[in-house]
């Protein structure tokens, strides 16, 4: 797995709303259309990752979300 | 049916419209136009292929083409070109003569092509074509470099072009210091050629932190944070870098704030967040059986809870790993791709003071966020609002009180938490309340007969003493669970004075202990009411009996008021602890605003508790103003009697209702503001 290609996918995902929507719908296609050429190992890893869930769904998987500032009264 | 091809005259016009050719004289342009040939391509057809030898350049006459360059095994989209734009000239200028990009027709395309020999001849002509083409070449090289090798590669072409135009080239020699530790950071460097080392000096010792090559960007954090350079940059070989000045970069970001924010997000992915000192971690189980990790800052008394996923992120905040590396590690560990949530978690931890990371300076945030100076600072309305808030919503911190309350618990308070103690308290509440009910008519009659002012004023200090005892009840319960009372004080919410103890340390406990602490203040009020009721049985004086009866009734009213789950009273904490939802109000309003903004009813189905809570809160606040108006209007009219006009009673009732709305709005506005910000949040805003 080439670290650089994953870093570039993260960059693109964070900064490009269209790419983000595409990845959630069909990750392999969106990543291919964006010009990333993956080898077999990378494609297998891609298939094992869940891209489909929205932030809200991911956050809701835990009862209290991922993080929550609490108990800081009178600030 | 396609439009006719451009004639020779049209070709001259097309040529003249390109900046590189615009400076040529008319005869030279016409001569050059004669060498151009027309070519047509269908959608997806390759016009030039990367790596091939270049034999001509092209000018797009109609349609558009897409330019892609290979980066390793990745094909990177560079940009699209439309009518009047040039491509293929680079191969004619480079010594190896090879194409550095593949250009395909994105639809039906007509291009004008100029053979290499004719181009070479034109370069020799007067009119500055050579200089224009060389400038164009430099701009394309910078664009290509930004796209392929810089942190800005994911930005839109127009932004990259503008950025490329603002970069200045800076050549360096091996051994030269490019950035000096301790200097102000007002520019960033993008290494285009050569190798550099990052070194940090601690006292006499110098340590190499990294060796970096082409594509590395250095000093960008200082641009955003205004921090002094925390390391030096020294050239290991000869080479050159592109320099980007802070003002130029920010001006560019400001032109298109959306893209500016994207660029900042990309830069911030490279930050290395670190856990703050003085943080201790605890675990607790939720009612659903999940494990929550509670962080506590020992110095500030702030708390933060993390799920298992959040906890994994927290553990990786070592100041070495970048946010992007943390997101990738999280993906590999969980098989879930959620870089935005990782960034949001770190941003929330940073905002709450649990993570140290250099933050974007105020001027950068304002320039990109449109806040602050651009709106001319605080308006008069805002200043008036601030004054009213200071008058109506304030608190006075009296320090911890932990030792005093702990001592009271040890010296007898603990007895109330034993079975016998609880039985005695229950008996006092039940018997005392029965006595209040039984003696009620007699006490009311005594009140109606009139009493001296001295007796009346006795009720006021009794009520305030009961408020202090109410808070002591919370504090004793905190000590019962061997937790710390983190603060105590007095405050004011609108017309209501109150006292408080900070029981946040109970976040480290489970649900039941937290419910006990929440309820214990009201239990104190019930016991005080019960004691007053029992005293009624032995007091003969009718005025003293009336005072005791009134105090008991007020104590029960305090209990009922405290059960209100809308404001920050015991009822709210009972409800949020019972539901195990910290920050229930903010979360509920956020869901409610999401529902209002999107109109998506699914939000109400997914979050029924939050939606119900927010709707009922707003209905309660709205309705209470109306109730207060209709309640006080006849009361005031009756009290005024013939002494004042009816209008005065109307105005008085209206003032009370407005006071209610003002104080409750001030109370709820903070949650609403937070919720508003969060409900309208763009993805990855936390970066």
């Amino acid at each position: 797995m080439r670290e650089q290609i994953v870093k570039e996918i993260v960059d693109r995902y964070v900064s490009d709303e269209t790419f983000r929507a595409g990845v959630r719908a069909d990750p392999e296609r969106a990543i291919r259309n964006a010009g990333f050429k993956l080898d077999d190992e990378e494609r297998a890893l891609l298939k094992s990752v869940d891209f489909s869930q929205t932030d809200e769904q991911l956050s809701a998987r835990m009862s209290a979300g991922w993080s929550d500032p609490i108990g800081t009264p009178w600030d | 049916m396609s439009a006719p091809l451009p004639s020779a005259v049209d070709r001259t016009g097309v040529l003249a419209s390109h900046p590189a050719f615009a400076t040529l004289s008319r005869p030279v342009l016409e001569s050059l136009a004669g060498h151009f040939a027309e070519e047509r391509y269908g959608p997806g057809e390759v016009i030039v292929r990367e790596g091939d030898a270049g034999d001509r350049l092209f000018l797009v006459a109609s349609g558009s083409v897409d330019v892609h360059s290979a980066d390793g095994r990745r094909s990177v989209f560079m940009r699209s070109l439309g009518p009047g734009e040039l491509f293929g000239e680079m191969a004619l200028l480079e010594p190896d003569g090879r194409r550095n990009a593949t250009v395909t027709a994105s639809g039906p395309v007509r291009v004008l092509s100029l053979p290499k020999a004719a181009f070479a001849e034109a370069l020799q002509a007067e009119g500055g074509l050579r200089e224009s083409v060389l400038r164009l070449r430099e701009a394309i090289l910078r664009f290509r470099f930004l796209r392929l090798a810089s942190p800005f590669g994911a930005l839109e072409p127009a932004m990259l072009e503008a950025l490329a135009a603002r970069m200045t080239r800076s050549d360096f020699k091996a051994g030269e210091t490019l950035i000096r530790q301790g200097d102000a950071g007002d520019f960033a460097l993008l290494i285009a050629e050569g190798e550099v080392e990052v070194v940090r000096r601690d006292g006499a010792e110098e340590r190499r932190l990294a060796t970096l090559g082409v594509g590395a960007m250095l000093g960008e954090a200082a641009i955003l944070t205004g921090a002094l350079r925390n390391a030096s940059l020294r050239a290991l070989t000869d080479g050159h870098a592109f320099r980007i000045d802070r003002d130029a970069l920010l001006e560019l970001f400001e032109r298109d704030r959306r893209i500016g924010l994207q660029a900042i997000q990309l830069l911030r992915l490279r930050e290395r967040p670190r856990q703050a000192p003085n943080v201790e971690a605890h675990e607790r189980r939720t009612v659903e059986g999940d494990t929550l990790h509670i962080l506590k800052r020992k110095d500030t008394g702030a708390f933060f809870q993390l799920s298992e996923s959040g906890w994994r992120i927290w553990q990786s905040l070592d100041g070495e790993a970048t946010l992007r590396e943390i997101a990738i590690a999280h993906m590999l560990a969980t098989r879930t791709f959620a870089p935005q949530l990782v960034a949001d978690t770190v941003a929330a931890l940073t905002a709450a003071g649990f993570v140290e990371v250099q933050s974007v300076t105020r001027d950068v945030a304002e320039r990109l966020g449109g806040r602050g100076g651009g709106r001319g600072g605080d308006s008069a309305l805002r200043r008036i609002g601030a004054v009213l808030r200071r008058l109506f919503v304030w608190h006075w911190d009296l320090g911890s009180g932990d030792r005093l309350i702990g001592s009271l618990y040890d010296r007898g308070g603990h007895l109330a938490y034993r079975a016998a103690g609880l039985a005695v308290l229950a008996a006092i509440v039940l018997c005392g309340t029965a006595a209040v009910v039984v003696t009620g008519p007699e006490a009311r009659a005594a009140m109606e007969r009139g009493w001296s002012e001295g007796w009346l004023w006795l009720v006021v200090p009794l009520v305030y003493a009961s408020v202090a005892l109410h808070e002591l009840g919370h504090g004793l319960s905190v000590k019962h669970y061997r937790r710390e009372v983190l603060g105590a004080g007095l405050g004011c919410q609108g017309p209501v004075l109150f006292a408080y103890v900070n029981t946040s340390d109970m976040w480290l406990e489970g649900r039941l202990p937290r419910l006990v602490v929440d309820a214990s203040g009201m239990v104190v009020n019930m016991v005080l009411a019960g004691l007053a009721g029992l005293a009624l049985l032995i007091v003969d004086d009718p005025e003293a009996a009336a005072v005791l009866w009134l105090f008991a009734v007020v104590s029960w009213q305090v209990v009922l008021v405290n059960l209100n789950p809308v404001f920050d009273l015991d009822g709210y904490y009972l409800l949020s602890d019972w539901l195990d939802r910290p920050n229930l109000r903010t979360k509920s309003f956020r869901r409610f605003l999401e529902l209002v903004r999107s109109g998506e009813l699914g939000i109400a189905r997914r979050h029924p508790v939050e939606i119900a809570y927010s709707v009922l809160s707003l209905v309660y606040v709205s309705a209470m103003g109306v109730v207060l108006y209709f309640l006080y209007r006849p009361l005031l009219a009756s009290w005024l009697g013939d002494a004042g006009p009816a209008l005065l009673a109307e105005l008085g009732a209206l003032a009370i209702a407005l006071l209610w709305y003002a104080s409750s709005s001030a109370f709820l506005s903070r949650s609403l503001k937070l919720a508003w910000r969060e409900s309208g949040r763009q993805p990855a805003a936390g970066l």
Side-chain angles (χ1 to χ4, degrees), chain A residues 1-21 23-24 27 31-75, chain B residues 71 73-77 148 151 154 262 265-266 269-270 286 288 290-292 294 301-310 313 324-325 327-328 330-332 335-342 344-345 348 352 395 493 498 500 502 504 507 582-583 587 591 594 606-607 670 682-684 687:
Chain A
M1 181 75 187
R2 290 163 301 163
E3 199 183 338
Q4 186 55 31
I5 208 162
V6 185
K7 284 180 175 176
E8 285 171 15
I9 291 173
V10 170
D11 278 1
R12 187 74 181 269
Y13 186 88
V14 165
S15 62
D16 184 341
E17 213 167 312
T18 313
F19 179 66
R20 189 160 53 241
V23 165
R24 281 189 183 139
I31 288 169
R32 191 178 56 239
N33 287 349
F36 296 101
K37 290 178 182 163
L38 305 182
D39 60 24
D40 291 344
E41 185 200 347
E42 287 156 355
R43 247 191 307 278
L45 172 73
L46 203 68
K47 282 192 173 137
S48 71
V49 174
D50 180 4
F51 289 90
S52 64
Q53 297 192 67
T54 63
D55 290 345
E56 190 192 30
Q57 286 167 328
L58 284 167
S59 186
R61 272 174 31 174
M62 302 300 291
S63 64
W66 278 27
S67 61
D68 208 356
I70 51 173
T72 47
W74 325 119
D75 53 351
Chain B
D71 179 28
R73 285 192 289 122
R74 185 172 74 113
S75 168
V76 180
F77 170 72
L148 293 178
Q262 279 180 8
Q265 285 165 6
L266 290 168
L269 276 174
R270 288 153 178 79
T286 68
E288 286 89 1
D290 296 326
T291 301
L292 285 182
I294 311 288
F303 288 78
F304 202 101
Q305 76 175 20
L306 293 165
S307 68
E308 282 293 350
S309 299
I313 294 164
R324 185 168 62 169
E325 286 161 355
I328 292 169
H330 185 270
M331 179 190 81
L332 295 174
R335 299 294 174 195
T336 305
F337 192 60
Q340 287 167 220
L341 270 181
V342 172
D344 284 350
T345 300
H395 73 276
Q493 295 279 4
F498 66 92
Y500 64 86
N502 182 344
S504 298
W507 282 113
N583 303 319
K587 284 178 185 167
R591 297 297 178 205
E594 280 170 5
R606 288 196 299 275
H607 308 284
R670 191 172 160 213
Q682 293 299 310
L687 278 170

Side-chain angles (χ1 to χ4, degrees), chain B residues 462-477:
Chain B
L462 276 176
V463 169
Y464 278 106
S466 76
V467 170
L469 290 171
H470 172 109
E471 297 305 320
L472 179 63
H474 290 306
L476 288 173
S477 292

Side-chain angles (χ1 to χ4, degrees), chain B residues 527-544:
Chain B
V527 170
L528 289 173
L531 287 171
L534 292 178
L536 277 171
L537 299 176
I538 53 171
V539 168
D540 288 333
D541 186 286
E543 286 189 326

